[in-house]
Amino acid sequence: GNLGANLITVLRNPSDELANIETVTNLEPSVGGAEAESVEAVKERGPQRLKHRQRSVAVDDYHWVARELSDEVAHLHGLPTRKLNGLGDAGQIATVLVPSSQDAKPVPSSSLIRRVTQHLEAHALANLGARSSRISVEAPDYVEVTVTARVVPQDPLKADQTADEVRACLAAFLHPLSGGPNQTGWELGRDVYLSEVHAVIENAHRVDHVADMTLTGSVLQQRFILAEGETPLPKAPYDQPTGSKVCTFDER
């Protein structure tokens, strides 16, 4: 869990407490930690442990081996024979690590990524574990979506409260780990459908009905792959509106 205090008192010599007290200040709040594992989680993890036996062979094994390391690991999605840029590589295992977090965009810390990478290398097949560059662990990329809705409240005098409740329902529904139709999180790459979002809004407290609604994804989240050499550049899989700006994250 997180440390509640910012000051830690260290006693160098317990017999002379007044003369040997040093105060250490935490410049940043502590992170990491997780709740105790539930019985349901043990029932789910137990058969998988018997299956993989601490050795990653199939793609799903990487997820469960990483879960054995720490409860901080919520999901580890394996991309077999793929580099992180999406290009194929027969000897590469790319993984996307999602930590246990209530943040809107759960992002693993650098220390957790390092620990998971070392753990996977130690439990991978010999031809992969001996070459650490063949196993990569990275943070997820999140696709931002925009919901624009015109909602009719049951009580016009409580329109502001209704709007706040709709926003809260949408935030809970779109959370990567606890959202989704079954409230069990979203699968990697799973689409969000307009009908699902429409149902979430209409089921919110104080909402009479939804007059109209749109659901759009951020164009900035689309990924372009630049071809090398003399290979003809493929057409983008979608059309860009006139005046759109396409650039890297550093504005090039």
Side-chain angles (χ1 to χ4, degrees), residues 47-56 61 65 123:
Q48 298 296 332
R49 182 181 178 87
L50 295 176
K51 178 182 176 182
H52 63 69
R53 296 181 181 274
Q54 293 295 305
R55 185 61 61 185
S56 299
D61 295 340
V65 168
H123 294 83

Side-chain angles (χ1 to χ4, degrees), residues 77-252:
H77 302 281
L79 306 175
T81 66
R82 285 285 185 274
K83 298 179 181 179
L84 288 175
N85 59 9
L87 298 179
D89 189 334
Q92 182 82 19
I93 295 292
T95 61
V96 179
L97 172 61
V98 183
S100 299
S101 173
Q102 295 300 319
D103 295 340
K105 296 180 180 180
V107 177
S109 63
S110 57
S111 61
L112 181 59
I113 291 179
R114 181 173 62 255
R115 288 163 51 204
V116 171
T117 301
Q118 295 172 349
H119 189 69
L120 292 180
E121 292 172 358
H123 294 83
L125 295 176
N127 59 340
L128 288 176
R131 303 173 63 186
S132 59
S133 60
R134 309 305 289 177
I135 300 177
S136 56
V137 179
E138 296 292 337
D141 289 331
Y142 293 101
V143 177
E144 295 183 356
V145 296
T146 300
V147 179
T148 304
R150 197 154 55 93
V151 179
V152 179
Q154 296 175 356
D155 185 354
L157 298 179
K158 297 182 178 180
D160 291 341
Q161 295 93 320
T162 303
D164 292 339
E165 291 179 1
V166 168
R167 294 188 184 95
C169 290
L170 289 175
F173 177 73
L174 296 173
H175 192 273
L177 295 178
S178 57
N182 300 321
Q183 299 181 350
T184 56
W186 293 88
E187 298 179 7
L188 180 67
R190 201 271 207 191
D191 293 330
V192 181
Y193 297 107
L194 183 67
S195 58
E196 296 174 330
V197 180
H198 188 279
V200 169
I201 297 177
E202 289 217 327
N203 290 331
H205 187 50
R206 296 193 179 97
V207 171
D208 184 80
H209 67 278
V210 179
D212 58 70
M213 189 189 74
T214 60
L215 174 67
T216 57
S218 174
V219 177
L220 296 177
Q221 302 295 330
Q222 303 295 340
R223 186 181 299 275
F224 287 89
I225 299 177
L226 303 180
E228 299 178 355
E230 301 298 328
T231 305
L233 294 177
K235 185 180 181 299
Y238 49 86
D239 294 329
Q240 293 290 333
T242 302
S244 297
K245 177 182 178 180
V246 179
C247 64
T248 57
F249 284 108
D250 56 356
E251 298 297 327
R252 290 185 295 154

